[in-house]
Amino acid sequence: VLSFRAVESQSEGQCAPVDSLWRRYSEFELLRNYLSVTYPHIVVPPLPEKRADFVWHKLSADNMDPDFVERRRIGLENFLLRVASHPVLCQDKIFYSFLTQEGGWKEMVNETGFQLKADSRLKALNATFRVKNPDKRFTELKHYSDELQSVISHLLRVRARVADRLYGVYKVHGNYGRVFSEWSAIEKEMGDGLQSAGHHMDVYAASIDDILEEEEHYADQLKEYLFYAEALRAVCRKHELMQYDLEMAAQDLTSKKQQCEELATGTVRTFSLKGMTSKLFGQEAPEQREAKIKVLEEQIQEGEEQLKSKNLEGRDFVKSAWADIERFKEQKNHDLKEALISYAVMQISMCKKGIQVWTNAKECFSKM
């Protein structure tokens, strides 16, 4: 459950928004599904993971763990900021209602009928294998998103393994603290120095918990783009479905034109059971043929209009989608660069703290 303060309304004639709202994770899922279906050409920001994944083994993977819940809250807040900063999504009325209305926004979502559109996405699963002329740019983009997801998954697994080892190294330093403390008990002149050095080691050993918890926030930044890869693929699938529908419409139109030509000339260009039956049992009466030709001509005219409409729709989709993909690429390059730099700075800082601990221990030994 996430609680947040609603944004202030700047529009005239609207009721003042409530001061704060509570939203469940499932409500965020509904909002994102609606946005994904309503804006098929947009790389819709992903939600944070519902359950922890790619974690080092000492960290709880329980989705009710307070630290994980807090990181997920930050992730949900980041999702809202992503949508609010998007030039198109930020203007959506449902999104505004999500931010400002305690109830009623779900009814608004259902009234849009987005679920019926969502069902058409099932066809996209097979469209990929049946599109005859796929757009090379979207094919390459889909391959890129697969590779991006693979690389980030591997990076997160490596980070988790490194974190496991680091955790062990730090905790083992606690043994120095215990041994120095025990040793100090049997020494008079060396006792204070050993005791102090042991204290530094204990502090060092205990510090790893907070360090690795902070590191999880950097991992979450990488995970966001792990999930963004799927959002990219979703746009590619929607384009494939549009391309498939376009090709089917063109194929149907060609078939009807051929039927019309065969009826008009009385010649069958391709073998069919119907054509063979006509030869065996005689041709249709002129009146029947004229009626069929008239129906086909009407269907052809309607098909040509549909094909023209689908072509325009496809061109608009590609133009809009590619503009948003370019926007996403700029965002991705900036965010991943910042995340990796921050992670490196954190590692450097952690190493400096380790050097400081041993420098302090050295001074303790020197004073003995």
Side-chain angles (χ1 to χ4, degrees):
V1 179
L2 176 71
S3 172
F4 59 88
R5 188 172 297 277
V7 296
E8 293 298 327
S9 172
Q10 299 297 325
S11 303
E12 295 180 3
Q14 289 182 317
C15 299
V18 293
D19 187 56
S20 63
L21 295 169
W22 287 88
R23 294 286 186 237
R24 300 189 67 82
Y25 188 92
S26 58
E27 293 178 283
F28 279 87
E29 288 181 311
L30 177 60
L31 173 64
R32 189 184 182 280
N33 288 340
Y34 158 77
L35 293 174
S36 182
V37 172
T38 308
Y39 303 94
H41 59 282
I42 287 176
V43 185
V44 179
L47 294 172
E49 57 189 348
K50 194 169 186 177
R51 291 177 176 78
D53 198 5
F54 299 108
V55 296
W56 49 286
H57 76 275
K58 294 294 182 182
L59 192 68
S60 173
D62 181 8
N63 65 322
M64 297 307 292
D65 176 71
D67 290 328
F68 172 69
V69 170
E70 173 59 16
R71 289 200 311 276
R72 188 172 63 183
R73 184 197 66 77
I74 293 172
L76 291 171
E77 187 177 89
N78 183 62
F79 165 76
L80 292 178
L81 292 173
R82 291 284 196 202
V83 176
S85 63
H86 192 282
V88 176
L89 300 180
C90 70
Q91 301 179 49
D92 186 86
K93 292 181 180 179
I94 301 291
F95 175 58
Y96 179 83
S97 299
F98 180 88
L99 294 176
T100 58
Q101 294 183 18
E102 184 70 41
W105 77 273
K106 287 184 182 178
E107 288 72 17
M108 291 178 65
V109 171
N110 293 329
E111 286 171 6
T112 63
F114 90 98
Q115 195 59 51
L116 293 174
K117 297 178 184 176
D119 293 338
S120 70
R121 290 183 299 175
L122 296 174
K123 294 192 297 182
L125 297 174
N126 295 323
T128 305
F129 304 103
R130 292 184 288 180
V131 171
K132 295 178 181 177
N133 299 301
D135 189 311
K136 186 179 179 182
R137 291 177 301 174
F138 283 93
T139 302
E140 290 175 350
L141 181 66
K142 188 164 65 171
H143 290 159
Y144 168 77
S145 63
D146 290 340
E147 290 171 0
L148 178 66
Q149 190 172 46
S150 175
V151 167
I152 293 181
S153 296
H154 186 61
L155 184 62
L156 286 166
R157 282 193 291 269
V158 170
R159 188 209 67 87
R161 288 201 300 271
V162 170
D164 278 339
R165 295 179 184 181
L166 203 59
Y167 181 86
V169 169
Y170 267 70
K171 289 301 182 183
V172 167
H173 276 70
N175 293 340
Y176 280 130
R178 178 178 57 79
V179 172
F180 287 153
S181 180
E182 291 174 356
W183 192 4
S184 68
I186 62 172
E187 299 286 353
K188 291 184 179 180
E189 295 180 1
M190 296 172 59
D192 291 342
L194 290 169
Q195 186 73 33
S196 297
H199 171 71
H200 288 301
M201 294 299 165
D202 287 336
V203 171
Y204 182 68
S207 67
I208 191 61
D209 297 286
D210 291 337
I211 289 171
L212 291 185
E213 181 58 46
E214 182 184 349
E215 206 178 272
E216 286 301 312
H217 291 286
Y218 297 116
D220 288 340
Q221 289 177 290
L222 292 176
K223 287 179 184 179
E224 181 185 17
Y225 281 91
L226 182 72
F227 306 139
Y228 252 126
E230 174 55 31
L232 269 181
R233 281 199 295 273
V235 174
C236 294
R237 286 197 297 269
K238 289 164 190 171
H239 177 263
E240 286 170 346
L241 182 57
M242 290 186 73
Q243 181 67 20
Y244 175 72
D245 287 342
L246 177 66
E247 291 179 1
M248 289 298 100
Q251 185 176 317
D252 184 60
L253 181 60
T254 301
S255 175
K256 283 183 168 57
K257 284 182 177 180
Q258 183 178 321
Q259 290 177 43
C260 190
E261 182 186 342
E262 289 173 354
L263 283 170
T265 60
T267 59
V268 180
R269 291 166 55 186
T270 56
F271 172 81
S272 69
L273 183 60
K274 188 176 181 181
M276 184 60 71
T277 304
S278 296
K279 287 183 177 180
L280 292 173
F281 300 104
Q283 298 290 332
E284 295 172 313
E287 302 83 31
Q288 292 177 309
R289 191 163 64 248
E290 288 298 325
K292 285 188 176 182
I293 289 174
K294 186 177 180 181
V295 170
L296 280 170
E297 285 175 343
E298 290 174 357
Q299 291 177 343
I300 287 169
Q301 185 178 354
E302 183 182 338
E304 286 177 338
E305 289 174 0
Q306 283 186 348
L307 189 61
K308 183 179 179 181
S309 175
K310 286 181 181 294
N311 268 309
L312 288 172
E313 184 184 356
R315 283 197 290 270
D316 288 343
F317 179 92
V318 171
K319 183 179 178 181
S320 301
W322 214 252
D324 196 66
I325 287 164
E326 290 300 322
R327 178 204 58 80
F328 164 76
K329 286 180 179 178
E330 289 183 14
Q331 170 194 300
K332 176 206 61 152
N333 293 344
H334 174 270
D335 290 348
L336 290 181
K337 176 183 176 181
E338 290 297 315
L340 293 171
I341 289 174
S342 297
Y343 182 73
V345 168
M346 180 188 171
Q347 299 301 315
I348 293 168
S349 175
M350 185 167 55
C351 291
K352 286 180 178 178
K353 288 178 182 177
I355 291 171
Q356 189 60 50
V357 164
W358 281 103
T359 301
N360 293 339
K362 178 185 175 184
E363 290 178 2
C364 293
F365 298 149
S366 299
K367 293 176 182 177
M368 291 191 305

